[in-house]
C-alpha cells in the first residue's frame, strides 16, 4: 500500500472513531463561572515532594505503589514511624518543603528550575461543609496531568495543562485536617497536546487557583447566555442534581428589568430565546458594556458578568455588531511581567499585560497564545474591551493519526469553550497553529472545527496556517493553499520573512502573496527579535532594536497591499521564556520577539506599531 493510501485510511479511521455529532465533553461538572461562585480558596501554602521515578504512582516492577512511597495516603508519617520502629516511609508530605500556590514549581527553588516530571503537592485545611450541600474541589489548571486524592480517597485524573476541572468531594471532607494531595506530572508525551517540543516554557504545577465550592444539592452547572446574530438573546441552562427535571429556572438581568422563567426538561435542561431589549448596550472595545446576569434555580443562585455582541463575516471583512472592524492586535503568552515569571496570572498581572496592548498599542484585539489562558485574562479582556482569539495547543508536531490524541484535543477544546463562551471578549476560536497539511491532520482539525460550531456557533472559527514559498521568479511568491481554509470563517497566517531566512527588509514589500480572497485574512504572527537596549542605528543587525523597528515598518507595508488583510497579532507583546533560545547575553533562555522586555521596557518597535494602530483606529 502506498504512503498516501495509508494516510487516507488513518484519516478515515479517525472519522469512524469519532462519528459526527458525538460531542466529547468534560468528564466532570462544568461549573460555569466557577470563579464567581462563593467558595473557600485553597491557594496559599502547600507542601511539595518531587518524584522523578514516579514511585508514588507505581513500584519499580510496575506493581501498585508501596506504602513507603504513596504520598496520597492519609497517614501521619512521623506518628506512624514513632509508633512502629519497623515502619518505613521514604516521604513525609507534612514535613516537605513549602511553596505558595498558584505558581509553577520552576520557581519554588533553584534546583526545581529545569525539573520536568511528577511533583506531589499537599494542602491541609479545615472545612465546614453545610448539611445537604455538595462540595467540589475545582482546579483552574494543572500542567500537564493531575491525579487528585482527598483524605486518602482518589477523586480522579485530568489531562491538559490549561483548562479547569472539578471533582465532587461530598462525603469525603471532614471538619478539620483535610488532606488534599495532587500528583502533577509536567512531562509531555508523543500524544500529548501540546507535544514535547514547543517554543515556550513548560511551567509544571498548579498554576491557577484551587477552590472548594459548596453548592445546593441541585445547582446550575452550565449556563450560556448570549446575543445571537439574528438579534435574539438566547440562554441554555443545565442543572445538575437529583431534582434537575421539571424545575423552574429564572433568568434575570436587573439593569435591563428583564426576568424570564422557563421549566427544565427531563434531562434538567432549559432553553430561552427572546428579542433583545431595546435598551441593551452592546459590548465593543470602545464601550465594553457588561451586565450582571443571574439564574435562580431553587436554592441555587448562579451569576456571571456578561456582555452582548455579535461577530460575523461578510465576504473578506469581519463585522462586529454588524460593522466592519479591523483587528489591531498583539499575541500574548500567559506569562506575567517581571524578571522571574512563574505563570501566576493574578487579576493585576493580567490587567498589566492587557493594558499594555489596549492603552499602549491602541489595540482592540489580542491573540491569547498558544493555549487557553487563565480566566483572569478573559475577565480583564471583557472589562478593558479587547476582542480575544483563544486557542488550544494543537501546535507543531501533533500525533494526528492517534485517536487518543484527538480525544484529548476535543475534550480540551470543549473545556475551553464551556469555560469561556459567556465571555463577551471571545471573538475567535482557533483550532491549530502551524500544522503541516496531511490527510490525518486535515481530518483531525476538521473535526475540531466542527466541534467549535456545535459548541459555539456565535463566534468565528480560525487556525494559524503555514504558507509555501517559491523563489524561482523575479520576486518571492508566498502561497497559502491549505485545504483546512474551507472549514474556517477566518484564515490566519504566521510568517517571518525578514527574520527567519535571508530576506532583506527593504525587499519585504515586494513579496507577492497568493491567498484566497473570499474570506478575511489575519496575520496571526509576524515578528522579529530584539534585546531591549541593544542599539545599532548605523547598520542595524538582527537583535538590535533598530532592526526590529524597521522589520515592523516594512512588514506593515507588505501586509497593507493584501486586499483581504483584516487584522494582525504580531509576535509578541512581551519577551517570554523559551528553552529553545540559548544565545548568551542576548537570549539567555528568552524569546526576544517581545515589543517590551520581560520587565516591560518598551523597544522602538512598540512605538512603530502603536502609531500605525493609532492611525488605523482613526481611519476606521
Ligand atoms: C512561531 C510559533 C511561535 C514561536 C514563533 C517564534 O511560528 O507559532 O510559537 O514562538 O514562531 O518566535 O519563532
Amino acid at each position: 500500500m502506498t504512503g498516501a493510501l495509508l494516510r487516507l485510511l488513518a484519516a478515515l479511521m479517525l472519522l469512524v472513531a469519532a462519528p459526527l455529532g458525538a460531542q466529547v465533553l468534560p468528564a466532570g461538572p462544568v461549573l460555569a463561572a466557577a470563579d464567581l461562585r462563593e467558595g473557600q480558596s485553597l491557594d496559599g501554602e502547600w507542601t511539595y515532594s518531587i518524584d522523578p521515578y514516579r514511585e508514588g504512582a507505581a513500584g519499580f516492577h510496575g506493581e501498585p505503589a508501596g506504602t513507603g512511597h504513596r504520598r496520597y495516603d492519609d497517614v501521619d508519617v512521623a506518628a506512624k514511624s514513632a509508633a512502629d520502629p519497623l515502619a518505613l516511609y521514604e516521604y513525609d508530605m507534612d514535613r516537605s518543603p513549602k511553596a505558595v500556590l498558584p505558581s509553577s514549581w520552576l520557581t519554588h527553588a533553584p534546583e526545581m528550575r529545569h525539573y520536568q516530571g511528577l511533583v506531589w503537592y499537599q494542602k491541609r485545611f479545615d472545612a465546614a461543609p453545610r448539611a445537604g450541600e455538595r462540595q467540589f474541589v475545582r482546579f483552574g489548571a494543572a500542567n500537564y496531568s493531575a491525579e487528585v486524592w482527598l483524605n486518602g480517597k482518589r477523586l480522579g485524573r485530568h489531562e491538559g495543562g490549561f483548562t479547569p476541572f472539578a471533582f465532587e468531594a461530598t462525603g469525603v471532607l471532614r471538619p478539620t485536617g483535610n488532606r488534599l494531595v495532587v500528583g502533577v506530572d509536567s512531562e509531555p508525551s508523543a500524544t500529548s497536546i501540546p507535544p514535547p517540543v514547543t517554543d515556550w516554557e513548560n511551567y509544571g504545577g498548579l498554576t491557577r487557583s484551587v477552590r472548594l465550592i459548596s453548592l445546593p444539592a441541585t445547582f446550575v452547572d452550565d449556563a450560556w447566555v448570549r446575543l445571537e446574530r439574528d438579534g435574539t438573546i438566547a440562554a441554555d441552562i443545565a442543572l445538575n442534581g437529583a431534582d434537575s427535571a421539571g424545575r423552574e429556572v429564572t433568568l434575570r438581568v436587573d439593569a435591563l428589568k428583564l426576568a424570564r422563567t422557563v421549566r427544565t426538561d427531563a434531562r434538567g435542561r432549559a432553553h430561552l430565546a427572546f428579542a433583545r431589549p431595546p435598551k441593551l448596550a452592546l459590548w465593543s472595545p470602545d464601550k465594553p458594556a457588561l451586565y450582571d446576569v443571574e439564574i435562580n434555580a431553587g436554592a441555587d443562585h448562579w451569576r456571571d458578568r456578561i456582555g452582548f455582541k455579535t461577530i460575523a463575516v461578510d465576504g473578506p471583512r469581519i463585522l462586529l455588531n454588524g460593522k466592519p472592524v479591523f483587528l489591531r492586535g498583539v499575541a500574548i503568552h500567559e506569562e506575567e511581567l517581571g524578571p522571574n515569571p512563574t505563570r501566576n496570572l493574578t487579576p493585576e498581572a493580567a490587567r498589566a499585560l492587557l493594558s499594555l496592548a489596549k492603552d499602549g498599542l491602541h489595540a482592540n484585539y489580542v491573540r491569547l497564545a498558544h493555549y487557553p489562558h487563565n480566566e483572569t485574562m478573559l475577565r480583564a479582556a471583557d472589562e478593558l474591551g479587547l476582542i480575544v482569539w483563544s486557542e488550544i495547543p494543537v501546535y507543531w508536531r501533533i500525533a494526528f493519526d492517534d485517536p487518543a490524541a484527538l480525544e484529548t484535543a476535543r475534550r480540551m477544546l470543549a473545556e475551553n469553550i464551556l469555560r469561556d463562551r459567556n465571555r463577551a471578549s471571545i471573538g475567535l476560536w482557533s483550532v491549530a497553529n502551524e500544522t503541516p497539511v496531511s490527510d490525518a491532520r486535515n481530518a483531525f482539525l476538521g473535526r475540531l472545527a466542527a466541534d467549535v460550531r456545535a459548541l459555539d456557533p456565535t463566534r468565528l472559527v480560525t487556525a494559524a496556517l503555514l504558507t509555501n514559498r517559491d523563489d524561482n521568479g523575479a520576486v518571492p511568491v508566498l502561497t497559502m493553499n491549505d485545504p483546512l481554509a474551507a472549514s474556517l470563517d477566518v484564515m490566519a497566517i504566521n510568517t517571518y520573512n525578514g527574520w527567519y531566512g535571508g530576506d532583506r527588509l527593504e525587499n519585504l514589500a515586494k513579496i507577492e502573496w497568493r491567498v484566497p480572497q473570499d474570506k478575511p485574512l489575519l496575520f496571526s504572527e509576524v515578528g522579529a527579535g530584539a534585546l531591549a537596549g541593544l542599539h545599532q542605528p548605523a547598520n542595524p543587525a538582527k537583535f538590535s532594536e533598530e532592526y526590529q523597528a524597521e522589520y515592523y515598518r516594512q512588514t506593515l507595508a507588505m501586509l497593507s497591499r493584501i486586499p483581504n488583510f483584516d487584522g494582525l497579532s504580531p509576535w509578541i507583546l512581551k519577551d517570554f521564556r523559551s528553552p529553545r533560545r540559548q544565545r548568551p547575553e542576548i537570549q539567555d533562555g528568552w524569546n526576544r520577539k517581545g515589543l517590551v522586555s520581560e520587565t516591560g521596557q518598551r523597544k522602538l518597535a512598540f512605538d512603530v506599531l502603536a502609531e500605525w494602530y493609532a492611525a488605523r483606529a482613526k481611519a476606521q
Side-chain angles (χ1 to χ4, degrees):
M1 224 180 312
T2 66
L5 202 58
L6 271 174
R7 281 196 298 279
L8 189 67
L9 264 178
L12 282 175
M13 277 166 64
L14 268 185
L15 283 179
V16 174
L20 223 75
Q23 202 64 61
V24 176
L25 292 170
V30 175
L31 297 184
D35 56 328
L36 299 191
R37 287 281 196 182
E38 271 174 35
Q40 180 178 343
S41 171
L42 299 180
D43 294 343
E45 211 167 78
W46 290 58
T47 56
Y48 69 95
S49 169
I50 64 164
D51 189 2
Y53 293 146
R54 297 186 174 82
E55 295 204 86
F60 51 76
H61 290 301
E63 73 281 16
T67 49
H69 299 277
R70 273 196 327 239
R71 318 290 205 278
Y72 49 82
D73 280 348
D74 190 17
V75 296
D76 180 336
V77 164
K80 287 263 190 187
S81 304
D84 177 2
L86 297 185
L88 177 59
Y89 290 95
E90 306 202 52
Y91 77 92
D92 183 350
M93 291 307 294
D94 288 332
R95 285 153 199 88
S96 283
K98 296 183 169 90
V100 175
L101 302 186
S103 163
S104 168
W105 66 64
L106 298 194
T107 56
H108 288 353
E111 66 273 18
M112 296 293 283
R113 185 73 194 85
H114 295 289
Y115 182 80
Q116 297 295 342
L118 177 59
V119 174
W120 297 93
Y121 282 104
Q122 178 184 281
K123 177 82 180 174
R124 303 298 300 260
F125 63 97
D126 297 340
R130 280 196 287 263
E133 294 212 333
R134 293 164 68 191
Q135 290 77 42
F136 295 87
V137 191
R138 197 257 188 186
F139 296 81
N143 188 27
Y144 171 73
S145 60
E147 199 134 352
V148 180
W149 280 264
L150 180 60
N151 298 332
K153 183 178 185 315
R154 185 179 182 279
L155 297 186
R157 178 177 189 278
H158 179 262
E159 179 174 351
F162 305 96
T163 44
F165 54 98
F167 298 115
E168 184 150 7
T170 313
V172 190
L173 286 163
R174 52 195 180 214
T176 56
N178 288 286
R179 185 192 296 274
L180 177 64
V181 176
V182 190
V184 186
D185 202 325
S186 69
E187 195 168 73
S189 72
T191 57
S192 61
I193 314 279
V197 176
T198 68
D199 187 27
W200 67 85
E201 186 67 89
N202 191 23
Y203 284 109
L206 292 170
T207 54
R208 299 182 190 162
S209 289
V210 184
R211 302 177 74 227
L212 184 65
I213 296 175
S214 192
L215 296 169
T218 294
F219 63 90
V220 177
D221 185 33
D222 191 14
W224 180 31
V225 187
R226 73 279 182 186
L227 180 63
E228 302 270 355
R229 290 191 184 123
D230 67 3
T232 48
I233 290 192
D236 282 289
I237 300 160
L239 303 186
N240 178 321
D243 282 334
S244 294
R247 286 282 292 265
E248 257 190 15
V249 294
T250 303
L251 170 85
R252 296 175 66 103
V253 187
D254 286 351
L256 295 169
K257 298 200 172 50
L258 194 150
R260 287 280 193 288
T261 300
V262 65
R263 202 170 274 283
T264 56
D265 64 13
R267 291 160 66 222
R269 293 173 187 237
H271 177 76
L272 273 167
F274 49 90
R276 123 188 188 199
K279 274 197 316 209
L280 179 78
L282 296 184
W283 183 97
S284 73
D286 293 336
K287 282 207 184 87
L290 298 174
Y291 290 92
D292 286 319
V293 175
E294 274 174 50
I295 294 172
N296 296 314
D300 193 27
H301 307 291
W302 180 91
R303 70 191 174 95
D304 201 349
R305 227 167 132 62
I306 297 179
F308 299 90
K309 66 143 202 309
T310 60
I311 190 159
V313 157
D314 182 20
R317 295 286 163 245
I318 297 172
L319 305 181
L320 179 72
N321 298 327
K323 291 192 213 92
V325 61
F326 180 88
L327 298 183
R328 309 184 305 273
V330 70
I332 304 180
H333 260 298
E334 187 182 324
E335 199 181 81
E336 66 276 25
L337 285 154
N340 196 18
T342 190
R343 192 172 279 154
N344 175 13
L345 267 285
T346 61
E348 298 72 38
R351 242 169 199 273
L353 285 171
L354 294 180
S355 302
L356 270 176
K358 174 88 187 184
D359 305 331
L361 290 173
H362 313 294
N364 61 4
Y365 162 63
V366 285
R367 176 182 180 195
L368 299 184
H370 271 304
Y371 38 74
H373 283 214
N374 194 315
E375 44 218 326
T376 55
M377 290 287 269
L378 282 302
R379 293 269 176 210
D382 269 13
E383 287 159 15
L384 290 171
L386 286 161
I387 298 168
V388 167
W389 157 313
S390 172
E391 65 190 274
I392 55 166
V394 174
Y395 178 99
W396 290 357
R397 195 167 172 193
I398 294 291
F400 286 120
D401 48 11
D402 184 302
L406 178 61
E407 168 102 9
T408 304
R410 296 183 73 197
R411 193 173 307 285
M412 211 177 269
L413 184 67
E415 288 169 348
N416 185 17
I417 294 178
L418 295 192
R419 190 194 70 173
D420 288 343
R421 59 187 175 171
N422 282 318
R423 299 284 62 76
S425 49
I426 294 281
L428 301 109
W429 300 112
S430 169
V431 295
N433 181 80
E434 294 185 355
T435 51
V437 172
S438 73
D439 292 333
R441 171 270 197 188
N442 301 346
F444 190 110
L445 299 187
R447 182 65 261 179
L448 295 182
D451 280 358
V452 174
R453 294 189 193 286
L455 290 166
D456 180 7
T458 71
R459 269 55 176 241
L460 306 175
V461 188
T462 191
L465 307 172
L466 294 165
T467 49
N468 300 321
R469 179 169 172 140
D470 180 1
D471 276 310
N472 293 320
V475 295
V477 176
L478 286 175
T479 310
M480 198 287 285
N481 53 11
D482 189 326
L484 186 68
S487 312
L488 307 177
D489 299 309
V490 173
M491 302 175 294
I493 289 177
N494 292 355
T495 189
Y496 283 89
N497 318 289
W499 180 254
Y500 298 122
D503 286 317
R504 298 184 67 81
L505 294 179
E506 60 268 30
N507 292 335
L508 292 190
K510 295 181 200 148
I511 292 177
E512 191 184 319
W513 283 87
R514 289 194 193 151
V515 288
Q517 303 287 315
D518 56 330
K519 292 183 181 182
L521 173 66
L522 301 178
F523 279 82
S524 32
E525 289 179 30
V526 295
L531 178 65
L534 180 63
H535 288 288
Q536 293 171 342
N539 191 13
K542 281 179 180 167
F543 289 116
S544 69
E545 286 200 33
E546 285 77 8
Y547 187 95
Q548 190 192 33
E550 186 60 13
Y551 168 94
Y552 268 78
R553 281 183 210 104
Q554 298 295 346
T555 299
L556 291 167
M558 170 183 80
L559 302 182
S560 300
R561 293 175 46 224
I562 303 173
N564 53 337
F565 169 45
D566 210 24
L568 73 161
S569 50
W571 194 254
I572 185 168
L573 180 66
K574 179 187 83 69
D575 289 354
F576 61 97
R577 291 253 202 218
S578 169
R580 299 181 76 229
R581 313 293 177 175
Q582 295 298 344
R583 181 150 162 203
E585 291 176 20
I586 291 183
Q587 296 177 311
D588 299 308
W590 295 87
N591 183 315
R592 292 291 181 203
K593 295 190 189 73
L595 292 166
V596 303
S597 73
E598 67 273 27
T599 55
Q601 189 184 334
R602 292 184 185 190
K603 308 180 192 174
L604 293 175
F606 189 98
D607 289 338
V608 175
L609 186 65
E611 278 163 29
W612 198 83
Y613 278 170
R616 254 334 292 206
K618 271 203 199 114
Q620 189 131 38

